[in-house]
Amino acid sequence: MKRYDLIVVGAGPAGLSAAAEAAAHGLGVAVFDENSRPGGQLFKQIHKFFGSKEHKAKIRGYDIGAGLLREAEGLGVKVYLNSPVTGMYLDREIVAETDGAVSHYRADAIVVATGASENMVAFDGWTLPGVMGAGAAQTMMNINRVRPGSRVLMLGSGNVGLVVGYQLLQAGCELAAVVDAAPRVGGYGVHAAKLARCGVPFFLSHTIVKAEGETRVTGVVIGRVDETWNIVPGTQKHFDADTICVAAGLSPSTRLLLMAGCEMYEPVPGGGRLPVCDEFTGKTSVQGIYAAGDVSGIEEASSAMIEGRAAGAAAAAELGYISGGELKARLDKLETALASLREGMFAPKNRGKVFVKTDEGYDISDSLLRNGYLADGEATKYPGVKSVAGIHPVIECTQNIPCNPCQDACPKGCIKVGTNIVSLPAVDEKAGCIGCGMCVASCSGQAVFLVNEDVGGGFATVTAPYEFLPVPQKGERGVALDRSGAPVCEAEIVDVRTSPSFDRTFLLTFRVPGEQCSRARFWRREVRRFGRD
Amino acid sequence: MRLTDHPILGRPDRGRVVTFNFDGGEMSGFEGEPIAAALRAAGVAVHRYTKKHRAPRGVFCAIGRCTDCVMVVDGRPNVRTCVTPLAEGMCVKTQYGAGGGELGSSAAPEAADGRATDEKV
Ligand SMILES: Cc1cc2nc3c(=O)[nH]c(=O)nc-3n(C[C@H](O)[C@H](O)[C@H](O)COP(=O)(O)OP(=O)(O)OC[C@H]3O[C@@H](n4cnc5c(N)ncnc54)[C@H](O)[C@@H]3O)c2cc1C
Ligand code: SF4
Ligand code: SF4
Ligand code: FES
């Protein structure tokens, strides 16, 4: 039987990080993954990540994945692909199937980093072809490069629903609506705002009544739910759609931990079981077995990577490759990085809580939570939005999320988040913005705009991030859309910028009548009639 | 349905074009892509019909977990088309029930660890 110092199950961000960390301390490491490609969720994630530099913020998921894989392989980690691990036993033995052949492997320590699987919601017609998990849609469009459908309805307004919804638009699909039974948008407001300004309607306190179609989805009926989650009669709405994506949360894939006899607990009764483990290193009740990433509790890739590192370091110490002192020094550093991510209103400890004010005491926009966008006039209440002469940043980031690339990006110090990365970004109007656009391109939430309120002749310019094809050309005329996606005025593109440092985000500058510069936030090519809807 | 370009991912790197047979008709796809991707690109949504209720199923998880996408490939039933690479000359058939496998055999897709949607319909 082949043996390694450490076996890692799952080659996602947690698993690859654990492997790289342990290998760097000298352990012989093998990683097993059931997929034909490593990376777990990371290779499907094409958006720029949140967090700060130490969390690889503003780098796109697939680039983070490629970097991790290079690091692990460079350190001699053996990666077994197409190799589902089907069994795991007390004596740290695993059974993996490669090409139908079953092999046994043994290790002195095992890190289980098997991630999570998508939850499903049962509604009338939920098994019809065309109903799929949001993750499935993401795999199809970003890995297989085929559109999952032409017109999609998204159920779920958490970050997964919002991010996948935006990716559907980027792949050229139409997004009919984002629907969620909860009364408030569950994910980051900045992700919701990206969809809303493209014209995607949000239906909170709504759920799917049924999927229509005989052999495949042809439409969807939604309805409003009351406080007891029943459909309110007379509130039903029909949408044409050929695809329904369900983003109803994730459940940790704990099967192997159970098989190995790890102690489990149920944090919320009926809410699924989690391994009892060290919150940080993931050490379980069974000696030598660690759990890292989503399998130990659903969080994010950013935290999964740190948990993986901590588990890798703890395993190295357990096997005597590093001393207790070295482990402590390493963990202290990692813990600081993890703690900064676990702050703010979206932190795991705050799940389910409703915030009406930010940490700084600003009101949270009700419109943002219910419709996905800040209402007209609301933006100026926040510290990132100031009216100044000349070009200046306008930052519509209004919740305490762990993120600060905007601050790091500015060469002039115009943007201050401070040391606590969940603080709202504030604009320092005296710092002298030079209009370089780095803040716009670096913002993971696409929440930074540049505005020049007076470029002469009664006009203003607005610069917005743009990640769609075809890229507009200078001189093109179209319409400016407000935060809800409604057309507000004609707008001519006066500049289109791109640069390797913008990492595929284009910066569109369009000219609008001066009085529209606080409303115009997106640009659309077709000149449609406006003022009517 | 195929993405020919993408604002972030750029143009896809595809394998060579291969032809395969779907329910008696000729189709083409790219070598090495999942069979399900080639079918989706051709507008095929139904991969199988369940045994008891003859209810249609299509791609649901796209990562080989739910078994909703299984079909009869080169005579072998219960092949998860979302994770099985397409090859030249493959013969892909819509699967009815257990797909010719013995009824109630462990090969029946509903027995696999997944969504087992048959009970729900
Ligand atoms: C649409 C979407 C957007 C997201 N956006 C962000 C974001 O912006 N920032 C962020 O930080 N996080 C984001 N996340 C969350 C993030 O992707 C996850 O938290 C993270 O991937 C968890 O990492 P992991 O390594 O624990 O699991 P995964 O990435 O899920 O990897 C687990 C791996 O283990 C494999 N596996 C499972 N069981 C077995 C087995 N028995 N044998 C072999 N292999 C097995 C799986 O196939 C998989 O490859 C997003 C998630 C989604 C779905
Ligand atoms: S445009 Fe450049 S100078 Fe102005 S705020 Fe943004 S990063 Fe700073
Ligand atoms: S404005 Fe700053 S803190 Fe807010 S999402 Fe953008 S980069 Fe992050
Ligand atoms: S769609 Fe293929 S197994 Fe789930």
Side-chain angles (χ1 to χ4, degrees):
Chain A
M1 189 187 317
K2 194 144 177 65
R3 67 165 301 286
Y4 292 92
D5 294 325
L6 175 70
I7 282 177
V8 178
V9 188
L16 288 176
S17 302
E21 177 78 22
H25 296 306
L27 281 73
V29 185
V31 182
F32 292 81
D33 198 286
E34 60 195 357
N35 294 294
S36 57
R37 313 180 178 216
Q41 304 297 325
L42 278 178
F43 280 102
K44 305 174 197 171
Q45 291 171 7
I46 62 172
H47 58 288
K48 296 178 179 174
F49 269 44
F50 289 80
S52 68
K53 250 197 204 121
E54 59 180 342
H55 313 112
K56 308 206 188 302
K58 89 167 197 191
I59 304 178
R60 296 188 192 271
Y62 57 83
D63 282 333
I64 298 178
L68 266 179
L69 187 63
R70 264 197 310 274
E71 183 190 348
E73 287 182 338
L75 289 163
V77 170
K78 167 86 184 138
V79 182
Y80 291 88
L81 297 173
N82 294 311
S83 305
V85 173
T86 51
M88 190 164 131
Y89 307 104
L90 260 181
D91 49 358
R92 293 185 299 280
E93 181 180 325
I94 66 153
V95 182
E97 266 179 50
T98 310
D99 299 326
V102 176
S103 314
H104 292 248
Y105 301 85
R106 187 167 282 173
D108 295 327
I110 296 182
V111 174
V112 176
T114 46
S117 58
E118 296 190 273
N119 296 340
M120 203 46 204
V121 176
F123 46 81
D124 199 3
W126 74 288
T127 60
L128 273 177
V131 179
M132 65 181 74
Q138 207 179 24
T139 304
M140 278 191 211
M141 62 190 168
N142 297 343
I143 305 285
N144 302 338
R145 314 298 294 276
V146 177
R147 281 185 200 98
S150 306
R151 194 170 150 82
V152 187
L153 183 129
M154 177 66 68
L155 182 66
S157 70
N159 277 336
V160 171
L162 299 175
V163 167
V164 175
Y166 191 72
Q167 291 175 6
L168 285 162
L169 295 179
Q170 291 180 304
C173 308
E174 268 183 78
L175 193 57
V178 174
V179 174
D180 199 312
R184 292 169 205 87
V185 171
Y188 293 173
V190 289
H191 278 319
K194 289 192 302 189
L195 288 175
R197 62 177 174 262
C198 293
V200 176
F202 280 68
F203 291 89
L204 278 298
S205 300
H206 278 70
T207 194
I208 294 180
V209 177
K210 68 170 177 200
E212 298 172 329
E214 287 300 315
T215 57
R216 57 181 298 171
V217 174
T218 55
V220 197
V221 176
I222 68 166
R224 205 173 77 224
V225 292
D226 61 19
E227 303 74 48
T228 53
W229 306 99
N230 290 315
I231 304 287
V232 180
T235 62
Q236 303 197 343
K237 271 186 198 66
H238 165 91
F239 293 90
D240 287 332
D242 60 4
T243 305
I244 298 172
C245 279
V246 180
L250 302 166
S251 297
S253 304
T254 52
R255 207 164 50 94
L256 293 176
L257 293 168
L258 278 168
M259 278 177 113
C262 296
E263 204 182 311
M264 308 292 281
Y265 76 113
E266 212 166 29
V268 198
R273 287 190 292 178
L274 290 178
V276 174
C277 63
D278 183 284
E279 208 187 327
F280 186 43
T281 61
K283 192 172 176 39
T284 67
S285 62
V286 177
Q287 204 218 326
I289 297 184
Y290 296 81
D294 279 354
V295 72
S296 65
I298 306 296
E299 271 182 82
E300 304 236 284
S302 321
S303 36
M305 288 187 278
I306 303 174
E307 287 175 23
R309 299 255 169 211
E318 185 178 327
L319 305 189
Y321 283 81
I322 56 174
S323 69
E326 283 168 312
L327 174 66
K328 188 174 177 310
R330 183 72 181 119
L331 292 186
D332 282 348
K333 196 160 164 251
L334 291 169
E335 201 155 3
T336 318
L338 189 61
S340 66
L341 285 178
R342 287 182 172 164
E343 286 302 319
M345 45 227 289
F346 293 90
K349 63 183 175 203
N350 288 327
R351 245 165 237 165
K353 282 193 203 153
V354 177
F355 287 83
V356 292
K357 287 199 186 292
T358 69
D359 293 350
E360 298 86 349
Y362 296 100
D363 291 334
I364 305 279
S365 161
D366 205 41
S367 170
L368 184 66
L369 297 179
R370 274 189 302 147
N371 309 315
Y373 55 86
L374 295 173
D376 276 344
E378 265 184 342
T380 50
K381 291 200 274 187
Y382 299 96
V385 184
K386 292 193 178 133
S387 177
V388 197
I391 188 112
H392 61 280
V394 167
I395 309 183
E396 304 191 351
C397 178
T398 62
Q399 293 169 317
N400 298 115
I401 57 177
C403 187
N404 72 358
C406 50
Q407 167 175 274
D408 283 356
C410 182
K412 290 286 167 188
C414 301
I415 302 171
K416 303 246 167 1
V417 174
T419 47
N420 181 0
I421 65 169
V422 297
S423 303
L424 298 193
V427 166
D428 179 352
E429 61 271 50
K430 290 184 217 72
C433 169
I434 52 170
C436 69
M438 282 310 295
C439 53
V440 180
S442 305
C443 171
S444 326
Q446 298 191 10
V448 183
F449 305 85
L450 297 181
V451 174
N452 191 340
E453 294 167 21
D454 183 8
V455 293
F459 284 101
T461 57
V462 176
T463 301
Y466 196 81
E467 295 192 349
F468 296 99
L469 288 179
V471 179
Q473 301 293 308
K474 193 170 162 175
E476 250 190 276
R477 284 165 197 279
V479 290
L481 308 181
D482 70 8
R483 297 179 184 85
S484 75
V488 287
C489 57
E490 283 183 28
E492 182 185 331
I493 302 282
V494 294
D495 196 13
V496 180
R497 282 188 274 174
T498 173
S499 140
S501 59
F502 293 173
D503 189 10
R504 290 182 172 257
T505 304
F506 282 82
L507 266 52
L508 295 191
T509 304
F510 43 93
R511 191 174 55 197
V512 296
E515 70 276 10
Q516 299 297 355
C517 72
S518 62
R519 294 176 70 207
R521 288 296 174 264
F522 198 63
W523 185 89
R524 190 170 70 195
R525 182 166 283 105
E526 328 90 275
V527 181
R528 287 196 200 145
R529 247 171 302 173
F530 42 86
R532 283 187 12 172
D533 54 1
Chain B
M1 286 305 215
R2 285 200 187 276
L3 284 153
T4 50
D5 204 352
H6 188 284
I8 308 305
L9 297 168
R11 292 179 198 282
D13 219 355
R14 308 234 198 239
R16 70 181 177 108
V17 176
V18 293
T19 55
F20 67 102
N21 188 291
F22 169 66
D23 281 351
E26 189 167 283
M27 268 187 188
S28 64
F30 294 102
E31 186 172 53
E33 71 179 342
I35 298 169
L39 292 175
R40 171 74 37 169
V44 176
V46 180
H47 286 226
R48 68 174 176 110
Y49 289 88
T50 60
K51 193 162 66 188
K52 264 193 236 150
H53 301 277
R54 313 225 165 266
R57 292 285 186 274
V59 172
F60 175 72
C61 74
I63 51 167
R65 290 218 177 136
C66 72
T67 68
D68 272 10
C69 69
V70 301
M71 302 177 90
V72 182
V73 176
D74 291 336
R76 208 152 51 88
N78 302 324
V79 174
R80 293 170 304 165
T81 55
C82 68
V83 290
T84 304
L86 182 69
E88 175 79 57
M90 263 182 170
C91 177
V92 179
K93 285 197 178 122
T94 305
Q95 178 165 327
Y96 294 86
E102 288 161 51
L103 285 188
S105 79
S106 63
E110 288 77 24
D113 151 23
R115 122 165 124 141
T117 48
D118 275 6
E119 297 121 46
K120 305 261 170 36
V121 175

